[in-house]
Amino acid sequence: MSRRASQPLRLFSEEEAKELQRVSRASSESRNRHQRAVALVAVAEGKSLSEAARLVGWKSHDPVTRLTRRFNLMGLAALDDLPRSGAPRTYGPVERARIEQEARRTPDRKEDATATWSLTLLQRALRQASDGLPKVSTFTILHTLHEAGYSWQKDRTWCHTGRTLKKGKDGTVYQSEDPYTQEKKR
């Protein structure tokens, strides 16, 4: 059943129409802003609230109703998320930049005892650094890196299973620990 708005959407100004069209077509916008813009454009084109909701993947018409009311009151600011409750962020842009800087640094095998970063090793390095963050959590590091566009462990290097690096008289050589390693790979 299609649903008509109890409070109709007001007409867009020229700037609002251009911005809504831009946001509804832009792939660089956040998903929430994109969905809201598409829903508002659909309602403005004469689609019902239920059709607009289905178009953006919402299950009911209620979010579209709330969105039209917000748009009538706030204009384009209705596309943005409302402030949420909870504690404010502890770490600002300077601290987040420090986390990103440390993650971009290639770990020193002797000092950091690793060839690739894990969250706990990155946390330890940040806590021990003189300009580091003494109380940073792994969740904060993960969240900060995710916001910066990093995808954890996609570029991780892996070791060969069953081979170790041994130092001998002739220099360093790879030694196979398990004589059946090749047979197991088949």
Side-chain angles (χ1 to χ4, degrees):
M1 176 176 141
S2 64
R3 182 95 180 177
R4 291 282 165 208
S6 59
Q7 182 180 358
L9 183 65
R10 68 172 172 78
L11 295 175
F12 301 150
S13 68
E14 280 187 46
E15 295 117 22
E16 289 173 338
K18 285 180 185 176
E19 181 65 12
L20 286 171
Q21 286 295 332
R22 186 194 68 76
V23 172
S24 67
R25 292 183 181 140
S27 60
S28 61
E29 288 289 339
S30 71
R31 182 176 182 199
N32 290 340
R33 282 181 57 87
H34 174 75
Q35 285 179 322
R36 291 174 188 143
V38 169
L40 285 172
V41 169
V43 171
E45 290 174 350
K47 292 190 170 128
S48 68
L49 298 176
S50 301
E51 290 171 331
R54 260 184 266 119
L55 187 65
V56 295
W58 295 335
K59 295 182 179 180
S60 87
H61 67 278
D62 293 335
V64 183
T65 303
R66 288 191 298 272
L67 179 62
T68 55
R69 287 184 187 146
R70 261 177 67 191
F71 183 81
N72 288 341
L73 290 173
M74 303 168 60
L76 289 174
L79 297 178
D80 298 325
D81 291 337
L82 293 173
R84 303 205 179 213
S85 62
R89 286 186 172 200
T90 307
Y91 297 111
V94 174
E95 290 84 4
R96 290 195 303 267
R98 176 66 179 102
I99 292 171
E100 291 174 36
Q101 175 191 0
E102 191 70 21
R104 280 192 299 266
R105 179 177 71 85
T106 304
D108 181 20
R109 285 183 183 248
K110 290 182 180 177
E111 183 181 324
D112 299 315
T114 185
T116 58
W117 288 120
S118 70
L119 288 176
T120 52
L121 291 174
L122 195 54
Q123 177 190 33
R124 185 180 306 146
L126 281 165
R127 286 182 173 187
Q128 291 174 352
S130 61
D131 63 339
L133 307 167
K135 294 185 179 182
V136 70
S137 69
T138 55
F139 178 80
T140 301
I141 296 168
L142 180 66
H143 196 288
T144 302
L145 294 176
H146 181 71
E147 280 182 344
Y150 287 93
S151 181
W152 197 251
Q153 291 190 356
K154 278 196 175 179
D155 60 348
R156 185 175 174 128
T157 57
W158 294 96
C159 302
H160 293 284
T161 304
R163 288 176 26 172
T164 57
L165 189 62
K166 299 282 186 180
K167 290 184 181 179
K169 294 178 185 176
D170 300 329
T172 56
V173 293
Y174 280 105
Q175 179 179 352
S176 183
E177 298 273 336
D178 185 1
Y180 301 107
T181 302
Q182 293 299 326
E183 292 177 21
K184 291 178 183 177
K185 288 185 179 179
R186 292 182 198 160

